[in-house]
Amino acid sequence: MRFFLALLTFCTLTLSAQTHYPQDYFRPPMDIPLHTSGTFGELRTNHFHAGLDYRTNQKTGFAVYASAAGYVSRIKVSAYGYGTSIYIDHPNGYTTLYAHLLKYAPKIEAYVRKKQYEKKSFEIELFPKPGEIVVEKGEEIALSGNSGGSGGPHLHFEIRDTKTEMIINPLAFGLDKKMKDTKLPTIYSVLLYPLSEDAVVDGSRSPYLINVKQQANGIFVADTIKAKGVIGFGVNATDKSTGSTPNNGIYKTELFYNNNPYFSCEFNTFAFDESRYVNNYIDYERYYNTGQRFQKLYIKRAFPLSLLKHNQGNGQISLAPQDTVAKKYSIVVSDFHGNKATVTGVILYSAEPARVGTPKFVTAYRVIAANDNIYSKNGVSVFVPANAFYDDFYMDFEVKDSVLRLHRPTTPVHTYVEVSFDAPGVTKEEAAKTFIAGVGGKRFSYNNTRYENGRFIAKIKVLGNFKLMKDTTAPTIFRPTFKEGAQVKAGTIGVHIADDLSGIATYDAFINGKWVLMHYDYKDRSLKYNFSDGLTDDGKNQLKIVVTDNVGNSATFETYFFRTQNTNPVENNK
């Protein structure tokens, strides 16, 4: 009974904390039935998800509306990230963001297209002045799409505090009432981690997977566990909302120990600077090896993640010989609509020694996370700035046959690690084509590299193997959408582009000698020109495309086509 009273009090305080957000100010950004394929705070690669992903039934082109009156404060078009996106500042102190769009509404599209032609760039970031582009609540501002880093057609929607740029759960603004959700979250498994040197869990020094069984009342019950020393919990859980099939993230995770709130994480609001801490919040090594994201309900070394609440003793539980009474615990996971799943269990102290140990990994290179660390060997140096890592550990550092082995990618990097290779006497031409590459089997990844004082230097965010590589091969331009000399009647023309090593850096296209805007989608490697720009001539038109990679190799594609009279001329290319 005490457990449920504590739970009720905790939930009441949580709900009251959400009520300061205006509840009827923002309307939904689309008029189709709203179902989420991604929730606020969802655990993603290197970040917490910053908004809601609204499903668009695997289609693009749905009308997107301004959630409230305001003015367009920022416009960004990128081949990556949020793709085609728009930001609107509202008089009540909040900003809404709409991302992965197909295209903007006509007045915004004309403004953006003019600026793209002025700058001669598809990728662009604009900051219109207050009042320059005013929108009303419910005004169509764009069409939904699949641009940028989107994994499928949907609308990404955010609400931020305009002044602080804190990201806020859109459901806290009353948008939860526009969605129906009666589905309970699912708890898949629970882990117990031995944290201290003497910690043992059921005879093991390694993380121990606890068997859980769901009862008729829906509550999960875990097997009784025997342990000693300092231990911590982890849970693997997801949520499904009504009308959606994908697994979504959990809104709130709580650990109760001896009937008291002991540790919790609640996704109401967070800062962008906190987002990469997702790699410390989860069991990163297990995620890297298995794809399963276990939320850790403890902290080993303090880190500034404001999402964490009711943190008693860093969530760590200590079991000593005097703990003769069984200790009860409960883990409760919830969605924003109040649907909950609970797992309960009991821990008993046991002096039983470890039957299964974890081999200690010790090297001469000890990383102290709070300090700067520098390692050098055979002409290769590594600089680790303070707080680049979350915990202290022994670094696997070796240089052999000109290849740097820098630990393993199962250890996450929070900021960066600087790697440098000595290479004196390299000519300017050679230096321009050389970079520090990540090596994964037969695959290589490009790292932005500079050459100074006889050294190649790069900042990396993933550990692993590295070596110097030279790229002298130009990108390829292939598979045009029309045959040379064809009469083109379609609304667009395009080609595909690729680079096998350092990657695409720039792309430019010219029709009859004039620069024209081509849209780049890295997912299908396509470049497309839309004839609505009205920049072709009647009859024969010459097309030239130049693509350059990250080390300056370039390729040129030239052809011609025929086109009938333009129907929508624009004066964008003077």
Side-chain angles (χ1 to χ4, degrees):
M1 185 65 180
R2 288 174 55 201
F3 164 72
F4 288 105
L5 286 174
L7 179 59
L8 177 62
T9 301
F10 183 56
C11 291
T12 301
L13 291 172
T14 299
L15 288 172
S16 65
Q18 299 171 5
T19 57
H20 67 282
Y21 297 117
Q23 295 298 292
D24 299 309
Y25 192 88
F26 295 107
R27 59 150 286 167
M30 293 188 292
D31 282 343
I32 63 175
L34 295 180
H35 304 297
T36 55
S37 59
T39 50
F40 183 80
E42 193 167 271
L43 310 177
R44 299 285 181 88
T45 302
N46 295 321
H47 69 284
F48 296 108
H49 190 231
L52 297 178
D53 285 345
Y54 285 121
R55 291 180 58 206
T56 56
N57 302 319
Q58 295 299 312
K59 298 177 183 178
T60 61
F62 289 97
V64 177
Y65 303 101
S67 283
Y71 70 91
V72 176
S73 58
R74 183 182 178 191
I75 295 168
K76 188 171 184 179
V77 179
S78 173
Y80 305 92
Y82 282 167
T84 299
S85 59
I86 187 169
Y87 301 69
I88 300 175
D89 283 7
H90 305 283
N92 67 341
Y94 295 101
T95 298
T96 51
L97 162 65
Y98 315 77
H100 303 307
L101 304 170
L102 176 66
K103 63 184 298 185
Y104 301 111
K107 73 177 183 182
I108 303 172
E109 182 76 14
Y111 175 89
V112 175
R113 191 65 56 89
K114 183 174 185 292
K115 298 294 185 181
Q116 287 174 313
Y117 270 96
E118 287 175 358
K119 295 178 180 292
K120 294 185 177 180
S121 175
F122 166 65
E123 296 203 359
I124 197 168
E125 187 170 14
L126 305 169
F127 297 91
K129 297 176 182 177
E132 190 172 1
I133 306 176
V134 176
V135 295
E136 299 298 325
K137 184 175 184 175
E139 180 180 341
E140 184 176 323
I141 57 171
L143 298 178
S144 68
N146 186 33
S147 60
S150 171
H154 72 280
L155 174 69
H156 176 88
F157 177 70
E158 292 181 22
I159 299 181
R160 305 178 182 180
D161 183 294
T162 304
K163 185 176 181 179
T164 66
E165 294 192 338
M166 291 289 288
I167 321 159
I168 306 165
N169 193 332
L171 296 182
F173 291 84
L175 293 181
D176 59 318
K177 301 179 183 65
K178 307 297 181 181
M179 298 167 49
K180 182 181 180 181
D181 186 4
T182 58
K183 291 188 175 182
L184 302 181
T186 300
I187 297 174
Y188 298 103
S189 45
V190 174
L191 273 171
L192 259 184
Y193 296 85
L195 301 179
S196 60
E197 289 291 328
D198 64 335
V200 178
V201 178
D202 261 22
S204 175
R205 283 282 303 129
S206 299
Y208 186 84
L209 192 65
I210 305 174
N211 185 45
V212 297
K213 296 178 181 178
Q214 190 171 19
Q215 308 300 299
N217 60 2
I219 292 178
F220 294 84
V221 175
D223 287 352
T224 297
I225 295 297
K226 296 179 180 180
K228 69 174 181 177
V230 180
I231 60 175
F233 280 95
V235 62
N236 180 19
T238 61
D239 183 45
K240 279 187 171 70
S241 62
T242 300
S244 295
T245 53
N247 287 322
N248 291 163
I250 297 299
Y251 165 64
K252 182 166 57 179
T253 305
E254 305 159 87
L255 170 65
F256 292 85
Y257 184 61
N258 285 339
N259 299 323
N260 296 310
Y262 207 74
F263 190 92
S264 71
C265 184
E266 187 173 330
F267 289 101
N268 283 319
T269 180
F270 62 91
F272 277 103
D273 289 346
E274 297 180 69
S275 196
R276 195 171 175 88
Y277 283 113
V278 66
N279 293 332
N280 197 27
Y281 175 61
I282 66 171
D283 182 338
Y284 187 88
E285 181 174 2
R286 188 171 293 266
Y287 162 65
Y288 185 90
N289 289 327
T290 69
Q292 297 176 328
R293 289 185 173 97
F294 275 82
Q295 303 174 56
K296 294 188 296 188
L297 306 181
Y298 66 90
I299 297 171
K300 287 184 67 176
R301 178 174 176 263
F303 64 105
L305 181 59
S306 62
L307 296 163
L308 304 181
K309 313 290 182 185
H310 295 87
N311 182 4
Q312 302 294 319
N314 287 333
Q316 298 183 22
I317 295 170
S318 181
L319 295 170
Q322 60 267 31
D323 294 316
T324 57
V325 179
K327 305 294 184 180
K328 297 180 181 179
Y329 70 89
S330 294
I331 299 172
V332 182
V333 295
S334 313
D335 63 25
F336 195 91
H337 288 79
N339 303 302
K340 297 180 175 65
T342 301
V343 59
T344 64
V346 171
I347 305 176
L348 299 173
Y349 173 81
S350 172
E352 179 184 0
R355 299 186 305 273
V356 180
T358 301
K360 285 189 175 183
F361 181 80
V362 178
T363 71
Y365 308 99
R366 176 71 170 168
V367 174
I368 305 300
N371 302 335
D372 290 346
N373 299 263
I374 300 176
Y375 313 113
S376 298
K377 191 173 187 178
N378 298 339
V380 178
S381 296
V382 175
F383 169 61
V384 180
N387 299 312
F389 293 101
Y390 302 112
D391 295 306
D392 301 344
F393 67 99
Y394 287 98
M395 175 78 79
D396 182 9
F397 173 70
E398 183 60 83
V399 180
K400 186 177 181 180
D401 298 329
S402 300
V403 176
L404 163 65
R405 184 172 76 236
L406 189 61
H407 209 64
R408 297 175 293 276
T410 53
T411 297
V413 181
H414 183 68
T415 53
Y416 70 90
V417 172
E418 187 174 87
V419 173
S420 63
F421 284 73
D422 291 345
V426 174
T427 66
K428 184 178 180 180
E429 291 73 20
E430 287 179 311
K433 303 296 182 185
T434 304
F435 64 96
I436 296 175
V439 181
K442 295 183 178 180
R443 302 187 65 177
F444 306 98
S445 58
Y446 173 79
N447 293 289
N448 188 32
T449 304
R450 69 184 190 275
Y451 183 70
E452 60 183 41
N453 300 323
R455 296 187 305 159
F456 287 99
I457 306 169
K459 292 181 178 180
I460 62 169
K461 282 197 169 186
V462 178
L463 302 182
N465 295 343
F466 301 89
K467 64 181 291 188
L468 289 180
M469 293 197 70
K470 186 181 293 186
D471 182 2
T472 58
T473 304
T476 55
I477 305 171
F478 59 100
R479 213 165 71 221
T481 60
F482 62 94
K483 293 182 179 180
E484 185 172 76
Q487 179 76 31
V488 177
K489 296 181 180 180
T492 62
I493 56 172
V495 296
H496 291 78
I497 61 176
D499 188 77
D500 65 350
L501 194 53
S502 64
I504 301 295
T506 63
Y507 37 88
D508 290 285
F510 306 85
I511 293 181
N512 302 325
K514 296 179 179 180
W515 187 91
V516 296
L517 176 67
M518 295 200 85
H519 298 252
Y520 178 45
D521 188 337
Y522 77 92
K523 296 189 292 292
D524 63 5
R525 303 188 293 182
S526 65
L527 274 178
K528 293 180 181 177
Y529 169 73
N530 195 315
F531 284 115
S532 64
D533 283 4
L535 297 174
T536 54
D537 294 337
D538 255 352
K540 186 177 181 179
N541 290 269
Q542 299 284 346
L543 172 65
K544 178 182 178 180
I545 298 174
V546 180
V547 180
T548 305
D549 66 18
N550 279 301
V551 295
N553 301 306
S554 64
T556 300
F557 173 80
E558 295 186 85
T559 188
Y560 67 94
F561 61 91
F562 290 88
R563 181 75 176 170
T564 55
Q565 185 175 353
N566 298 314
T567 56
N568 294 304
V570 292
E571 296 186 55
N572 283 333
N573 198 28
K574 293 183 179 180

